[in-house]
Amino acid sequence: MHDIPSRALTARSVKTEWFTLTEPSLRADVHVSRFGPPGGAEEIHLQITPRAYGAAEDQLRAISQAYEIAKAELGLDSGSAVFRRIYCSDVVNQAEALDCHPLTARHRKADPCAVSWVGQAAVPDSKLALWAYHLGDDTGGLVKEQDGTSLRLQRGSLTHHWSTGMTDTGSTDSFDQTEEIFADYTERLAKEGMTLAENVIRTWLFVKNIDADYRGLVVARRELFAKQGLTSETHYIASSGIEGGNEDVRALVSMDAYAIDGIRPEQIEFLNALDYLGPTHAYGVTFERGTSVAYRDRKHLFLSGTASIDPEGVVLHPGDVGKQLERTLENMNALLVDGGGSLEDMCHFTVYLRDPSDEGLIRSMMRQRFPEAPMILVVGPVCRPGWLIELEGVACVANEQAGLPAY
């Protein structure tokens, strides 16, 4: 038996639990969160990073070994996997190895799972790192279907759609590429009877060169959203726009997205904390700070990329990454409180650093505050050079609304 703290093996809890998998033979660190109200589905997030520098193939083996041990200890079968994101230090050169490995292959004939590859190096020594999301359900196996790099997950009256690696390289301009990505995605949604405005919960937009190409993304998204009825008077979509590469060197922009077919309007709320950070449209961008999705026994609180900003949109604590982290966490907690949660409800954190030399300080500060929470630190410059750090993630909180669908 591997050394998982006893609390991880006790009865299910309505609070998110964090713990660490420790085993001398492991060559990777494994941090886990678990949320599972009694009688409901159990959600597990794992973040796995190699412990030592090495070749990508060696690190992939270390991650895969740790992942299999973790699944066994947590009682997870391979069919419970919903989403995996691989953070890559050199995705162009690593793509072939990823495509050949059963853990990281994206076009899957067996063991359906949405798999995302992102060119963001996990610091300090990782060529590859993993975030994995599993869903356990005692009522039976998950009903999943793979369609290219997208996954359909059927849950009662709802169908959850995870789409990864969307690009369009017909142009050499970030505006045009973003426009075509969203046009293609909108068409894909329409074929499923969905729309951007009614069904899309979360997007991740990765920009090859954030300082040069983010502006084109912003303008294209704003114009397309206006045509789709997404405005400051209605709502936008929770999102992160961050630097990240794609295995196709022609791709200036790529996108992952999460949508829910059958979602009811009363299940969705948009999170605000106007005493801490203002609406995004005030400075020309079009995304929600956070989105809450309510179910019969829980809420998912999706936090967009969040940085050290005040209500007027001003960067706070320029040049001081530690103080920026403190303000960012204040902003995140304020958003979570608006959704009925707090930072202690986070299932995972992704920490984006502009300067990898800040890793030691930031990891120390985060671990002092969240000793065992799943988190990964990657090199991912933010849309404004003055922002040295950005965080995102998802939280789970208990909910009691008998009239809503189960998750």
Side-chain angles (χ1 to χ4, degrees), residues 228-254:
Q228 295 289 324
L230 291 153
T231 72
S232 61
E233 302 300 318
T234 57
H235 68 88
Y236 297 119
I237 297 168
S239 187
S240 296
I242 198 79
E243 184 163 301
N246 186 271
E247 72 273 15
D248 188 335
V249 297
R250 300 169 298 171
L252 304 180
V253 180
S254 58

PDB file of all heavy atoms in Angstrom, residues 228-254:
ATOM      1  N   GLN A 228     -22.254  37.146 -32.012  1.00  0.00           N
ATOM      2  CA  GLN A 228     -22.915  35.987 -31.401  1.00  0.00           C
ATOM      3  C   GLN A 228     -23.774  36.359 -30.202  1.00  0.00           C
ATOM      4  O   GLN A 228     -24.298  35.483 -29.510  1.00  0.00           O
ATOM      5  CB  GLN A 228     -21.853  34.964 -30.985  1.00  0.00           C
ATOM      6  CG  GLN A 228     -21.066  34.351 -32.133  1.00  0.00           C
ATOM      7  CD  GLN A 228     -21.892  33.407 -32.954  1.00  0.00           C
ATOM      8  OE1 GLN A 228     -22.751  32.689 -32.432  1.00  0.00           O
ATOM      9  NE2 GLN A 228     -21.657  33.376 -34.254  1.00  0.00           N
ATOM     10  N   GLY A 229     -23.902  37.658 -29.920  1.00  0.00           N
ATOM     11  CA  GLY A 229     -24.736  38.096 -28.808  1.00  0.00           C
ATOM     12  C   GLY A 229     -24.058  38.061 -27.462  1.00  0.00           C
ATOM     13  O   GLY A 229     -24.724  38.120 -26.416  1.00  0.00           O
ATOM     14  N   LEU A 230     -22.737  37.977 -27.447  1.00  0.00           N
ATOM     15  CA  LEU A 230     -21.967  38.010 -26.211  1.00  0.00           C
ATOM     16  C   LEU A 230     -21.430  39.420 -26.032  1.00  0.00           C
ATOM     17  O   LEU A 230     -20.498  39.836 -26.721  1.00  0.00           O
ATOM     18  CB  LEU A 230     -20.816  36.999 -26.274  1.00  0.00           C
ATOM     19  CG  LEU A 230     -21.237  35.530 -26.266  1.00  0.00           C
ATOM     20  CD1 LEU A 230     -20.212  34.669 -26.973  1.00  0.00           C
ATOM     21  CD2 LEU A 230     -21.427  35.041 -24.843  1.00  0.00           C
ATOM     22  N   THR A 231     -22.022  40.163 -25.110  1.00  0.00           N
ATOM     23  CA  THR A 231     -21.657  41.562 -24.899  1.00  0.00           C
ATOM     24  C   THR A 231     -21.559  41.843 -23.398  1.00  0.00           C
ATOM     25  O   THR A 231     -21.908  40.995 -22.567  1.00  0.00           O
ATOM     26  CB  THR A 231     -22.696  42.516 -25.514  1.00  0.00           C
ATOM     27  OG1 THR A 231     -23.902  42.466 -24.711  1.00  0.00           O
ATOM     28  CG2 THR A 231     -23.028  42.131 -26.949  1.00  0.00           C
ATOM     29  N   SER A 232     -21.153  43.053 -23.063  1.00  0.00           N
ATOM     30  CA  SER A 232     -21.089  43.440 -21.654  1.00  0.00           C
ATOM     31  C   SER A 232     -22.475  43.478 -21.015  1.00  0.00           C
ATOM     32  O   SER A 232     -22.605  43.412 -19.792  1.00  0.00           O
ATOM     33  CB  SER A 232     -20.414  44.803 -21.514  1.00  0.00           C
ATOM     34  OG  SER A 232     -21.155  45.805 -22.208  1.00  0.00           O
ATOM     35  N   GLU A 233     -23.515  43.585 -21.826  1.00  0.00           N
ATOM     36  CA  GLU A 233     -24.884  43.589 -21.312  1.00  0.00           C
ATOM     37  C   GLU A 233     -25.436  42.181 -21.126  1.00  0.00           C
ATOM     38  O   GLU A 233     -26.452  42.001 -20.438  1.00  0.00           O
ATOM     39  CB  GLU A 233     -25.801  44.371 -22.261  1.00  0.00           C
ATOM     40  CG  GLU A 233     -25.381  45.815 -22.483  1.00  0.00           C
ATOM     41  CD  GLU A 233     -25.356  46.605 -21.185  1.00  0.00           C
ATOM     42  OE1 GLU A 233     -26.287  46.427 -20.369  1.00  0.00           O
ATOM     43  OE2 GLU A 233     -24.397  47.377 -20.979  1.00  0.00           O
ATOM     44  N   THR A 234     -24.824  41.201 -21.748  1.00  0.00           N
ATOM     45  CA  THR A 234     -25.276  39.812 -21.594  1.00  0.00           C
ATOM     46  C   THR A 234     -24.248  39.084 -20.717  1.00  0.00           C
ATOM     47  O   THR A 234     -24.354  39.068 -19.509  1.00  0.00           O
ATOM     48  CB  THR A 234     -25.444  39.132 -22.957  1.00  0.00           C
ATOM     49  OG1 THR A 234     -24.199  39.176 -23.692  1.00  0.00           O
ATOM     50  CG2 THR A 234     -26.525  39.827 -23.767  1.00  0.00           C
ATOM     51  N   HIS A 235     -23.257  38.493 -21.358  1.00  0.00           N
ATOM     52  CA  HIS A 235     -22.164  37.852 -20.622  1.00  0.00           C
ATOM     53  C   HIS A 235     -21.090  37.458 -21.628  1.00  0.00           C
ATOM     54  O   HIS A 235     -21.285  37.509 -22.844  1.00  0.00           O
ATOM     55  CB  HIS A 235     -22.650  36.617 -19.856  1.00  0.00           C
ATOM     56  CG  HIS A 235     -23.065  35.476 -20.770  1.00  0.00           C
ATOM     57  ND1 HIS A 235     -22.180  34.530 -21.232  1.00  0.00           N
ATOM     58  CD2 HIS A 235     -24.267  35.152 -21.318  1.00  0.00           C
ATOM     59  CE1 HIS A 235     -22.813  33.676 -22.014  1.00  0.00           C
ATOM     60  NE2 HIS A 235     -24.089  34.033 -22.079  1.00  0.00           N
ATOM     61  N   TYR A 236     -19.935  37.053 -21.097  1.00  0.00           N
ATOM     62  CA  TYR A 236     -18.865  36.494 -21.931  1.00  0.00           C
ATOM     63  C   TYR A 236     -18.638  35.041 -21.493  1.00  0.00           C
ATOM     64  O   TYR A 236     -19.573  34.377 -21.028  1.00  0.00           O
ATOM     65  CB  TYR A 236     -17.598  37.340 -21.804  1.00  0.00           C
ATOM     66  CG  TYR A 236     -17.777  38.764 -22.295  1.00  0.00           C
ATOM     67  CD1 TYR A 236     -17.599  39.839 -21.430  1.00  0.00           C
ATOM     68  CD2 TYR A 236     -18.133  39.033 -23.619  1.00  0.00           C
ATOM     69  CE1 TYR A 236     -17.757  41.151 -21.872  1.00  0.00           C
ATOM     70  CE2 TYR A 236     -18.288  40.336 -24.074  1.00  0.00           C
ATOM     71  CZ  TYR A 236     -18.103  41.390 -23.193  1.00  0.00           C
ATOM     72  OH  TYR A 236     -18.266  42.678 -23.629  1.00  0.00           O
ATOM     73  N   ILE A 237     -17.416  34.554 -21.636  1.00  0.00           N
ATOM     74  CA  ILE A 237     -17.070  33.174 -21.301  1.00  0.00           C
ATOM     75  C   ILE A 237     -15.815  33.205 -20.438  1.00  0.00           C
ATOM     76  O   ILE A 237     -14.876  33.958 -20.731  1.00  0.00           O
ATOM     77  CB  ILE A 237     -16.809  32.353 -22.591  1.00  0.00           C
ATOM     78  CG1 ILE A 237     -18.086  32.280 -23.441  1.00  0.00           C
ATOM     79  CG2 ILE A 237     -16.323  30.947 -22.256  1.00  0.00           C
ATOM     80  CD1 ILE A 237     -17.841  31.755 -24.854  1.00  0.00           C
ATOM     81  N   ALA A 238     -15.785  32.403 -19.384  1.00  0.00           N
ATOM     82  CA  ALA A 238     -14.565  32.289 -18.584  1.00  0.00           C
ATOM     83  C   ALA A 238     -13.427  31.820 -19.487  1.00  0.00           C
ATOM     84  O   ALA A 238     -13.611  30.933 -20.331  1.00  0.00           O
ATOM     85  CB  ALA A 238     -14.761  31.309 -17.439  1.00  0.00           C
ATOM     86  N   SER A 239     -12.237  32.419 -19.323  1.00  0.00           N
ATOM     87  CA  SER A 239     -11.164  32.116 -20.266  1.00  0.00           C
ATOM     88  C   SER A 239      -9.807  32.465 -19.686  1.00  0.00           C
ATOM     89  O   SER A 239      -9.699  33.255 -18.737  1.00  0.00           O
ATOM     90  CB  SER A 239     -11.375  32.893 -21.570  1.00  0.00           C
ATOM     91  OG  SER A 239     -10.432  32.490 -22.553  1.00  0.00           O
ATOM     92  N   SER A 240      -8.784  31.878 -20.267  1.00  0.00           N
ATOM     93  CA  SER A 240      -7.399  32.288 -20.052  1.00  0.00           C
ATOM     94  C   SER A 240      -6.793  32.552 -21.419  1.00  0.00           C
ATOM     95  O   SER A 240      -6.930  31.735 -22.334  1.00  0.00           O
ATOM     96  CB  SER A 240      -6.589  31.201 -19.337  1.00  0.00           C
ATOM     97  OG  SER A 240      -7.092  30.965 -18.050  1.00  0.00           O
ATOM     98  N   GLY A 241      -6.127  33.698 -21.552  1.00  0.00           N
ATOM     99  CA  GLY A 241      -5.363  34.010 -22.763  1.00  0.00           C
ATOM    100  C   GLY A 241      -3.915  34.143 -22.345  1.00  0.00           C
ATOM    101  O   GLY A 241      -3.542  35.108 -21.672  1.00  0.00           O
ATOM    102  N   ILE A 242      -3.088  33.194 -22.713  1.00  0.00           N
ATOM    103  CA  ILE A 242      -1.746  33.078 -22.144  1.00  0.00           C
ATOM    104  C   ILE A 242      -0.782  32.592 -23.221  1.00  0.00           C
ATOM    105  O   ILE A 242      -1.201  31.969 -24.201  1.00  0.00           O
ATOM    106  CB  ILE A 242      -1.782  32.098 -20.947  1.00  0.00           C
ATOM    107  CG1 ILE A 242      -0.560  32.253 -20.043  1.00  0.00           C
ATOM    108  CG2 ILE A 242      -1.972  30.675 -21.412  1.00  0.00           C
ATOM    109  CD1 ILE A 242      -0.640  33.409 -19.103  1.00  0.00           C
ATOM    110  N   GLU A 243       0.494  32.866 -23.039  1.00  0.00           N
ATOM    111  CA  GLU A 243       1.463  32.354 -24.010  1.00  0.00           C
ATOM    112  C   GLU A 243       1.573  30.836 -23.906  1.00  0.00           C
ATOM    113  O   GLU A 243       1.674  30.278 -22.815  1.00  0.00           O
ATOM    114  CB  GLU A 243       2.831  32.988 -23.793  1.00  0.00           C
ATOM    115  CG  GLU A 243       3.856  32.564 -24.848  1.00  0.00           C
ATOM    116  CD  GLU A 243       5.062  33.489 -24.891  1.00  0.00           C
ATOM    117  OE1 GLU A 243       4.862  34.697 -25.132  1.00  0.00           O
ATOM    118  OE2 GLU A 243       6.179  32.998 -24.662  1.00  0.00           O
ATOM    119  N   GLY A 244       1.544  30.190 -25.052  1.00  0.00           N
ATOM    120  CA  GLY A 244       1.675  28.734 -25.104  1.00  0.00           C
ATOM    121  C   GLY A 244       1.815  28.290 -26.543  1.00  0.00           C
ATOM    122  O   GLY A 244       1.172  28.837 -27.438  1.00  0.00           O
ATOM    123  N   GLY A 245       2.679  27.308 -26.775  1.00  0.00           N
ATOM    124  CA  GLY A 245       2.953  26.852 -28.128  1.00  0.00           C
ATOM    125  C   GLY A 245       2.114  25.666 -28.540  1.00  0.00           C
ATOM    126  O   GLY A 245       1.458  25.012 -27.735  1.00  0.00           O
ATOM    127  N   ASN A 246       2.163  25.393 -29.838  1.00  0.00           N
ATOM    128  CA  ASN A 246       1.463  24.274 -30.461  1.00  0.00           C
ATOM    129  C   ASN A 246       2.474  23.466 -31.260  1.00  0.00           C
ATOM    130  O   ASN A 246       3.491  23.999 -31.694  1.00  0.00           O
ATOM    131  CB  ASN A 246       0.345  24.803 -31.363  1.00  0.00           C
ATOM    132  CG  ASN A 246      -0.524  23.713 -31.943  1.00  0.00           C
ATOM    133  OD1 ASN A 246      -0.239  23.169 -33.013  1.00  0.00           O
ATOM    134  ND2 ASN A 246      -1.594  23.371 -31.249  1.00  0.00           N
ATOM    135  N   GLU A 247       2.184  22.192 -31.455  1.00  0.00           N
ATOM    136  CA  GLU A 247       3.131  21.364 -32.220  1.00  0.00           C
ATOM    137  C   GLU A 247       3.243  21.799 -33.675  1.00  0.00           C
ATOM    138  O   GLU A 247       4.228  21.501 -34.343  1.00  0.00           O
ATOM    139  CB  GLU A 247       2.750  19.888 -32.130  1.00  0.00           C
ATOM    140  CG  GLU A 247       1.508  19.462 -32.901  1.00  0.00           C
ATOM    141  CD  GLU A 247       0.226  19.650 -32.097  1.00  0.00           C
ATOM    142  OE1 GLU A 247       0.260  20.353 -31.068  1.00  0.00           O
ATOM    143  OE2 GLU A 247      -0.808  19.093 -32.517  1.00  0.00           O
ATOM    144  N   ASP A 248       2.229  22.497 -34.189  1.00  0.00           N
ATOM    145  CA  ASP A 248       2.277  23.062 -35.534  1.00  0.00           C
ATOM    146  C   ASP A 248       2.902  24.450 -35.439  1.00  0.00           C
ATOM    147  O   ASP A 248       2.296  25.371 -34.881  1.00  0.00           O
ATOM    148  CB  ASP A 248       0.865  23.143 -36.119  1.00  0.00           C
ATOM    149  CG  ASP A 248       0.852  23.537 -37.594  1.00  0.00           C
ATOM    150  OD1 ASP A 248       1.812  24.190 -38.054  1.00  0.00           O
ATOM    151  OD2 ASP A 248      -0.138  23.208 -38.273  1.00  0.00           O
ATOM    152  N   VAL A 249       4.091  24.606 -35.988  1.00  0.00           N
ATOM    153  CA  VAL A 249       4.816  25.873 -35.837  1.00  0.00           C
ATOM    154  C   VAL A 249       4.101  27.023 -36.532  1.00  0.00           C
ATOM    155  O   VAL A 249       4.396  28.199 -36.263  1.00  0.00           O
ATOM    156  CB  VAL A 249       6.254  25.757 -36.367  1.00  0.00           C
ATOM    157  CG1 VAL A 249       7.034  24.744 -35.554  1.00  0.00           C
ATOM    158  CG2 VAL A 249       6.273  25.385 -37.859  1.00  0.00           C
ATOM    159  N   ARG A 250       3.160  26.743 -37.415  1.00  0.00           N
ATOM    160  CA  ARG A 250       2.418  27.808 -38.102  1.00  0.00           C
ATOM    161  C   ARG A 250       1.311  28.394 -37.229  1.00  0.00           C
ATOM    162  O   ARG A 250       0.775  29.461 -37.534  1.00  0.00           O
ATOM    163  CB  ARG A 250       1.812  27.269 -39.394  1.00  0.00           C
ATOM    164  CG  ARG A 250       2.819  26.726 -40.405  1.00  0.00           C
ATOM    165  CD  ARG A 250       2.085  25.983 -41.518  1.00  0.00           C
ATOM    166  NE  ARG A 250       1.345  24.839 -40.977  1.00  0.00           N
ATOM    167  CZ  ARG A 250       0.470  24.109 -41.677  1.00  0.00           C
ATOM    168  NH1 ARG A 250       0.223  24.423 -42.945  1.00  0.00           N
ATOM    169  NH2 ARG A 250      -0.154  23.088 -41.111  1.00  0.00           N
ATOM    170  N   ALA A 251       0.964  27.694 -36.150  1.00  0.00           N
ATOM    171  CA  ALA A 251      -0.158  28.121 -35.303  1.00  0.00           C
ATOM    172  C   ALA A 251       0.280  29.239 -34.380  1.00  0.00           C
ATOM    173  O   ALA A 251       1.095  29.031 -33.472  1.00  0.00           O
ATOM    174  CB  ALA A 251      -0.692  26.940 -34.510  1.00  0.00           C
ATOM    175  N   LEU A 252      -0.254  30.428 -34.591  1.00  0.00           N
ATOM    176  CA  LEU A 252      -0.011  31.552 -33.683  1.00  0.00           C
ATOM    177  C   LEU A 252      -0.948  31.513 -32.493  1.00  0.00           C
ATOM    178  O   LEU A 252      -0.633  32.058 -31.429  1.00  0.00           O
ATOM    179  CB  LEU A 252      -0.190  32.875 -34.426  1.00  0.00           C
ATOM    180  CG  LEU A 252       0.647  33.080 -35.687  1.00  0.00           C
ATOM    181  CD1 LEU A 252       0.358  34.438 -36.305  1.00  0.00           C
ATOM    182  CD2 LEU A 252       2.127  32.924 -35.389  1.00  0.00           C
ATOM    183  N   VAL A 253      -2.108  30.875 -32.672  1.00  0.00           N
ATOM    184  CA  VAL A 253      -3.136  30.757 -31.641  1.00  0.00           C
ATOM    185  C   VAL A 253      -3.687  29.341 -31.670  1.00  0.00           C
ATOM    186  O   VAL A 253      -3.857  28.750 -32.744  1.00  0.00           O
ATOM    187  CB  VAL A 253      -4.291  31.765 -31.878  1.00  0.00           C
ATOM    188  CG1 VAL A 253      -5.351  31.636 -30.792  1.00  0.00           C
ATOM    189  CG2 VAL A 253      -3.769  33.188 -31.945  1.00  0.00           C
ATOM    190  N   SER A 254      -3.960  28.782 -30.506  1.00  0.00           N
ATOM    191  CA  SER A 254      -4.666  27.510 -30.418  1.00  0.00           C
ATOM    192  C   SER A 254      -5.649  27.587 -29.256  1.00  0.00           C
ATOM    193  O   SER A 254      -5.526  28.456 -28.377  1.00  0.00           O
ATOM    194  CB  SER A 254      -3.701  26.338 -30.234  1.00  0.00           C
ATOM    195  OG  SER A 254      -2.915  26.500 -29.078  1.00  0.00           O
TER     196      SER A 254
END
